[in-house]
């Protein structure tokens, strides 16, 4: 009941607020959450310490505080992203960069890592292309929230959301038919599905799905990095990655992390640092979160 009420409040109340008011509310909530959510604050600060050892503690605290604020602001923004009129979303969500890469029917994978604006980026594509669009998400444990997520992410265009448990066949099938795949492959899914490759110099368990799907689907790969701005969001497409994929899955996966590093350096406070990205360690290594 509480989840259903929360979804109603997002759709019927928060979605109607002026964007500066909503962002101000998110700023206040984020500042409070930074203080109260001590375990996640420690995770964010530890991640930043591992990735930016040369930065001062004060700078890492600035980025960590920003990541909590942006988390709350983008969470509240889902109200209008998933309920406001299409004209409002089109005005606030911009798609820039190598737009020509979306033309035609070449199988295409969009590498869209976990910047907090990822759901806005996920709408930017079907708003501006009619191509079939597939993405993979994990099921939310609350069915009301899960239904809200699925409806919001599929509200525009020809979008099909797939659960990770459905396997790779529908993903590859859509790619080979000339579709788009929106792939978020930068989380720690455990050692069994991963190879250890550097991420900001730290050996990091990283899934190899980007390289594997590109090869199986005979697809080109673009990066798309979505930035929250005062007026909404800007999702930027990169040109297709040259010489990708190769026959070396591990090298491809290491390259994916390098591409992500370059994007993070442009907006370090907007990346999903509250996730235990370094939870899985090589055999014999202790946890970095103790």
């Amino acid at each position: 009941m509480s989840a259903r009420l929360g979804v109603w409040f997002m759709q019927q109340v928060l979605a109607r607020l002026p964007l500066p008011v909503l962002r101000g509310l998110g700023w206040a909530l984020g500042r409070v959450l930074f203080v109260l959510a001590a375990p996640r604050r420690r995770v964010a600060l530890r991640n930043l310490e591992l990735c930016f050892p040369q930065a001062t503690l004060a700078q890492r605290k600035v980025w960590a505080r920003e990541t909590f604020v942006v988390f709350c602001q983008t969470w509240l923004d889902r109200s209008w992203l998933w309920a406001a009129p299409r004209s409002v979303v089109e005005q606030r969500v911009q798609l820039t960069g190598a737009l020509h890469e979306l033309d035609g029917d070449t199988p295409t994978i969009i590498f869209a890592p976990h910047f907090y604006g990822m759901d806005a980026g996920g709408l930017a594509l079907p708003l501006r292309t009619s191509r079939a669009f597939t993405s993979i998400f994990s099921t939310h444990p609350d069915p009301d929230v899960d239904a809200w997520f699925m409806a919001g992410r599929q509200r525009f265009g020809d979008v099909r959301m797939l659960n990770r448990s459905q396997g790779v066949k529908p993903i590859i099938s859509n790619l080979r038919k000339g579709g788009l795949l929106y792939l978020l492959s930068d989380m720690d899914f455990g050692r069994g599905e991963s190879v250890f490759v550097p991420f900001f110099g730290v050996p990091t368990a990283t899934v190899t799905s980007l390289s594997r799907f590109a090869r199986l689907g005979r697809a080109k790969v673009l990066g798309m990095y979505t930035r929250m701005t005062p007026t909404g969001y800007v999702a930027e497409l990169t040109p297709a990655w040259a010489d990708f994929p190769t026959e070396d899955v591990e090298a491809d996966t290491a390259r994916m992390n390098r591409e992500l590093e370059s994007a993070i350096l442009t907006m370090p406070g907007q990346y999903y640092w509250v996730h235990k990205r370094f939870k899985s360690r090589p055999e014999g290594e202790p946890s970095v979160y103790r």
Side-chain angles (χ1 to χ4, degrees):
M1 179 64 73
S2 60
R4 197 171 305 168
L5 181 61
V7 170
W8 176 88
F9 186 71
M10 291 279 280
Q11 293 174 328
Q12 301 301 322
V13 179
L14 296 185
R16 304 172 190 270
L17 293 178
L19 186 58
V21 174
L22 197 64
R23 290 284 175 81
L25 179 60
W27 180 89
L29 289 174
R31 302 281 289 198
V32 171
L33 192 64
F34 180 74
V35 175
L36 297 182
R40 286 298 164 180
R41 182 180 70 243
R42 288 193 289 270
V43 168
L45 286 169
R46 180 58 172 149
N47 285 337
L48 288 163
E49 179 185 16
L50 290 166
C51 293
F52 298 97
Q54 76 285 0
T56 64
L57 176 59
Q59 177 62 75
R60 294 197 294 267
K61 285 183 176 179
V62 168
W63 287 332
R65 190 176 294 110
E66 181 184 354
T67 207
F68 276 80
V69 167
V70 176
F71 167 80
C72 290
Q73 289 175 324
T74 54
W75 176 265
L76 296 183
D77 278 352
R78 288 182 172 93
S79 62
W80 59 265
L81 281 168
W82 295 345
R86 180 182 182 125
S87 59
V88 172
V89 181
E90 288 179 328
Q91 179 184 16
R92 294 177 179 176
V93 178
Q94 306 301 313
L95 184 63
T96 65
L99 302 183
H100 65 279
E101 298 283 8
L102 299 177
D103 296 339
D105 59 0
T106 301
T108 302
I109 299 176
I110 312 292
F111 170 56
H114 282 74
F115 291 100
Y116 287 115
M118 59 187 175
D119 274 308
L123 290 186
L125 288 166
L127 277 172
R128 292 170 175 84
T129 178
S130 60
R131 293 175 65 179
F133 172 26
T134 302
S135 191
I136 309 166
F137 284 90
S138 299
T139 301
H140 193 279
D142 188 293
D144 291 313
V145 175
D146 189 63
W148 177 54
F149 272 43
M150 293 303 103
R153 288 165 173 163
Q154 297 176 97
R155 71 176 301 211
F156 301 122
D158 182 7
V159 178
R160 182 183 181 191
M161 302 299 302
L162 297 174
N163 190 282
R164 281 171 53 83
S165 64
Q166 292 178 257
V168 304
K169 285 186 177 180
I171 297 168
I172 302 306
S173 175
N174 183 68
L175 278 173
R176 289 184 175 177
K177 292 175 183 176
L180 302 174
L181 171 63
Y182 191 71
L183 188 63
L184 301 88
S185 51
D186 60 321
M187 295 284 98
D188 187 336
F189 292 112
R191 291 168 53 185
E193 300 184 38
S194 307
V195 294
F196 282 92
V197 291
F199 179 55
F200 284 106
V202 181
T204 304
T206 309
V207 293
T208 60
S209 54
L210 183 63
S211 177
R212 291 189 296 109
F213 290 167
R215 190 182 310 103
L216 291 171
R218 299 186 285 273
K220 65 181 180 181
V221 172
L222 323 175
M224 192 177 85
Y225 312 116
T226 304
R227 181 189 304 270
M228 191 189 76
T229 70
T231 58
Y233 296 88
V234 175
E236 183 174 2
L237 283 171
T238 72
W241 295 0
D243 304 316
F244 193 98
T246 69
E247 296 300 317
D248 189 333
V249 173
E250 187 168 326
D252 288 348
T253 307
R255 177 176 175 185
M256 182 191 80
N257 279 354
R258 292 195 300 272
E259 298 283 351
L260 174 55
E261 290 170 17
S262 297
I264 288 173
L265 290 174
T266 71
M267 45 178 165
Q270 294 200 29
Y271 189 61
Y272 199 71
W273 296 115
V274 295
H275 168 67
K276 288 186 176 181
R277 185 65 186 91
F278 307 105
K279 177 175 62 176
S280 300
R281 305 309 310 140
E283 191 69 39
E285 280 198 16
S287 171
V288 300
Y289 295 109
R290 291 177 180 173

